[in-house]
Amino acid sequence: DSGVTQTPKHLITATGQRVTLRCSPRSGDLSVYWYQQSLDQGLQFLIQYYNGEERAKGNILERFSAQQFPDLHSELNLSSLELGDSALYFCASSPSGGANTEAFFGQGTRLTVV
Amino acid sequence: AQKVTQAQTEISVVEKEDVTLDCVYETRDTTYYLFWYKQPPSGELVFLIRRNSFDEQNEISGRYSWNFQKSTSSFNFTITASQVVDSAVYFCALSEPSNTGNQFYFGTGTSLTVIP
């Protein structure tokens, strides 16, 4: 158990809908990362937060948004969902969010868009 | 350009065989960090090791060992006496210091199947 909690574990929704994925980082970790894992794209970095502030942005679509709250939990919002958004979404956390620190990943949320 | 290349897509070995998973990286930074993660069939990503670019010592942890060679930009992972529980997808990753946040660049992964 990495200490990173993601909910829900599974989500099935229809195209055009909006969903929210939630992540609670490990106790004491200030930085949160979001990654998308799909069969054809591999592990794609979406966004990083540190202590409530956005720090780095990757290939995150405009339909997607995220935030980190004062209690350090984070949410990833996906809207106008398309079939191609079906993937495993991971949240990871690390103490400082620096390059020299490993991140610990949650179990992921498997999103299926039908 | 791909920063991390794992050329081996799938490997199958018989239990107790040794297996090496290759990882080649690309960076212009002199300071960088390399990682290996394991993704078992259950799906979570499990951290295995972090290596700093300024430390080229090889590392051994039980049946696992890592060979870091800056000259060839490689960070290979060897499992000795493989076991069925080693069956998983293994990812190599790179991170580079930045003033604008951090991300891990992952390779495409190597799927290892250990046959009993």
Side-chain angles (χ1 to χ4, degrees), chain A residues 33 35 48 55 99 102-103, chain B residues 37 39 43 50 95 100 102 104:
Chain A
Y33 302 81
Y35 276 82
Q48 181 205 19
R55 289 295 308 279
E102 57 271 19
Chain B
Y37 283 85
Q39 186 174 35
R50 165 174 46 88
S95 68
T100 55
N102 181 53
F104 299 93

Side-chain angles (χ1 to χ4, degrees), chain A residues 33 35 37 43 45 48 55-56 88 90 97-103 105 107, chain B residues 33 35 37 39 43 45 47 50 91 95-97 99-104 106:
Chain A
Y33 302 81
Y35 276 82
Q37 185 180 31
L43 276 158
F45 170 68
Q48 181 205 19
R55 289 295 308 279
L88 187 54
F90 282 109
N100 61 344
T101 310
E102 57 271 19
F105 284 74
Q107 293 205 317
Chain B
Y33 303 86
F35 306 81
Y37 283 85
Q39 186 174 35
L45 277 164
F47 165 73
R50 165 174 46 88
F91 291 93
S95 68
E96 303 162 320
N99 293 327
T100 55
N102 181 53
Q103 64 169 289
F104 299 93
F106 283 89

Side-chain angles (χ1 to χ4, degrees), chain A residues 61-107:
Chain A
L61 299 172
E62 284 192 13
R63 301 183 285 109
F64 295 1
S65 64
Q67 59 184 126
Q68 186 181 29
F69 295 87
D71 68 352
L72 301 177
H73 91 271
S74 178
E75 291 181 358
L76 178 66
N77 298 296
L78 314 177
S79 61
S80 303
L81 284 167
E82 302 174 358
L83 295 178
D85 298 327
S86 295
L88 187 54
Y89 290 84
F90 282 109
C91 168
S93 74
S94 76
S96 65
N100 61 344
T101 310
E102 57 271 19
F104 291 87
F105 284 74
Q107 293 205 317

Side-chain angles (χ1 to χ4, degrees), chain B:
Chain B
Q2 194 76 3
K3 282 185 178 279
V4 177
T5 301
Q6 295 180 256
Q8 304 152 308
T9 307
E10 295 181 3
I11 300 177
S12 290
V13 298
V14 176
E15 202 170 20
K16 296 184 186 172
E17 285 184 349
D18 299 347
V19 58
T20 295
L21 310 182
D22 297 335
C23 172
V24 174
Y25 61 91
E26 184 180 327
T27 180
R28 293 181 182 176
D29 290 0
T30 53
T31 300
Y32 51 90
Y33 303 86
L34 297 163
F35 306 81
W36 276 95
Y37 283 85
K38 173 182 179 180
Q39 186 174 35
S42 51
E44 74 273 23
L45 277 164
V46 178
F47 165 73
L48 295 178
I49 190 171
R50 165 174 46 88
R51 175 46 50 93
N52 309 327
S53 58
F54 42 86
D55 180 4
E56 286 195 72
Q57 269 196 328
N58 290 331
E59 184 150 342
I60 298 174
S61 176
R63 297 184 295 107
Y64 294 173
S65 62
W66 290 270
N67 183 358
F68 175 34
Q69 290 198 333
K70 277 175 105 166
S71 60
T72 55
S73 297
S74 65
F75 185 42
N76 296 338
F77 174 29
T78 296
I79 302 175
T80 302
S82 60
Q83 299 176 2
V84 172
V85 292
D86 296 327
S87 296
V89 181
Y90 291 86
F91 291 93
C92 181
L94 164 77
S95 68
E96 303 162 320
S98 168
N99 293 327
T100 55
N102 181 53
Q103 64 169 289
F104 299 93
Y105 298 93
F106 283 89
T108 50
T110 297
S111 177
L112 173 66
T113 301
V114 180
I115 303 164

